[in-house]
Short mmCIF file of all heavy atoms in Angstrom, two decimals:
data_model
loop_
_atom_site.label_atom_id
_atom_site.label_comp_id
_atom_site.label_asym_id
_atom_site.label_seq_id
_atom_site.Cartn_x
_atom_site.Cartn_y
_atom_site.Cartn_z
N SER A 351 61.91 102.12 77.16
CA SER A 351 60.64 101.93 76.43
C SER A 351 59.89 103.22 76.47
O SER A 351 59.83 103.84 77.53
CB SER A 351 59.83 100.80 76.97
OG SER A 351 60.48 99.54 76.74
N LYS A 390 58.33 118.39 68.30
CA LYS A 390 58.16 116.99 68.22
C LYS A 390 59.51 116.28 67.83
O LYS A 390 60.34 116.88 67.14
CB LYS A 390 57.15 116.67 67.17
CG LYS A 390 55.68 117.04 67.66
CD LYS A 390 54.71 116.52 66.67
CE LYS A 390 53.22 116.83 67.15
NZ LYS A 390 52.22 116.33 66.33
N LEU A 474 66.87 135.16 68.71
CA LEU A 474 65.82 136.17 68.90
C LEU A 474 66.03 137.41 68.14
O LEU A 474 65.10 138.04 67.69
CB LEU A 474 65.76 136.43 70.38
CG LEU A 474 65.00 135.39 71.28
CD1 LEU A 474 65.19 135.73 72.77
CD2 LEU A 474 63.54 135.41 70.92
N ALA A 488 68.62 123.21 61.74
CA ALA A 488 68.97 123.25 63.24
C ALA A 488 70.15 122.37 63.46
O ALA A 488 71.10 122.74 64.24
CB ALA A 488 67.76 122.80 64.08
N VAL A 506 88.99 132.75 75.92
CA VAL A 506 88.51 133.86 76.70
C VAL A 506 88.91 133.72 78.18
O VAL A 506 89.09 132.54 78.61
CB VAL A 506 87.04 134.22 76.62
CG1 VAL A 506 86.66 134.50 75.21
CG2 VAL A 506 86.24 132.94 77.19
N ALA A 530 70.98 111.79 65.10
CA ALA A 530 69.70 111.49 64.32
C ALA A 530 68.57 112.21 65.09
O ALA A 530 68.40 112.12 66.32
CB ALA A 530 69.47 110.03 64.30
N ARG A 577 87.45 117.13 48.50
CA ARG A 577 87.03 118.46 49.11
C ARG A 577 87.98 119.15 49.90
O ARG A 577 88.24 120.36 49.81
CB ARG A 577 85.69 118.09 50.00
CG ARG A 577 85.09 119.35 50.68
CD ARG A 577 84.06 118.90 51.69
NE ARG A 577 84.68 118.31 52.85
CZ ARG A 577 85.15 119.00 53.88
NH1 ARG A 577 85.17 120.31 53.86
NH2 ARG A 577 85.68 118.33 54.89
N PRO A 641 101.16 119.54 63.75
CA PRO A 641 101.18 118.56 62.63
C PRO A 641 102.16 118.97 61.57
O PRO A 641 102.42 120.20 61.37
CB PRO A 641 99.76 118.64 62.03
CG PRO A 641 98.91 119.15 63.23
CD PRO A 641 99.82 120.08 64.04
N GLY A 674 84.29 102.07 66.13
CA GLY A 674 84.69 100.78 66.74
C GLY A 674 83.68 99.63 66.33
O GLY A 674 84.19 98.48 66.27
N ALA A 699 68.82 81.45 52.36
CA ALA A 699 68.54 81.34 50.90
C ALA A 699 68.69 79.85 50.49
O ALA A 699 69.42 79.12 51.04
CB ALA A 699 69.53 82.25 50.14
N VAL A 701 69.73 76.54 48.63
CA VAL A 701 71.06 76.14 48.07
C VAL A 701 71.05 76.34 46.53
O VAL A 701 70.21 75.72 45.84
CB VAL A 701 71.32 74.63 48.43
CG1 VAL A 701 72.74 74.20 47.83
CG2 VAL A 701 71.41 74.49 50.01
N ARG A 723 74.25 81.05 61.62
CA ARG A 723 73.25 82.05 61.57
C ARG A 723 71.97 81.77 62.31
O ARG A 723 71.23 82.67 62.73
CB ARG A 723 72.90 82.34 60.12
CG ARG A 723 73.91 83.02 59.19
CD ARG A 723 73.37 83.46 57.91
NE ARG A 723 72.25 84.34 58.01
CZ ARG A 723 71.59 84.84 57.05
NH1 ARG A 723 72.03 84.68 55.77
NH2 ARG A 723 70.55 85.68 57.20
N LEU A 783 52.94 104.33 62.66
CA LEU A 783 52.92 105.75 62.35
C LEU A 783 53.19 106.00 60.86
O LEU A 783 52.48 106.81 60.26
CB LEU A 783 53.98 106.51 63.16
CG LEU A 783 53.96 108.01 63.13
CD1 LEU A 783 52.66 108.53 63.66
CD2 LEU A 783 55.11 108.65 63.91
#
Side-chain angles (χ1 to χ4, degrees):
S351 295
K390 291 188 176 182
L474 280 171
V506 300
R577 179 190 70 84
V701 177
R723 288 191 56 175
L783 187 63

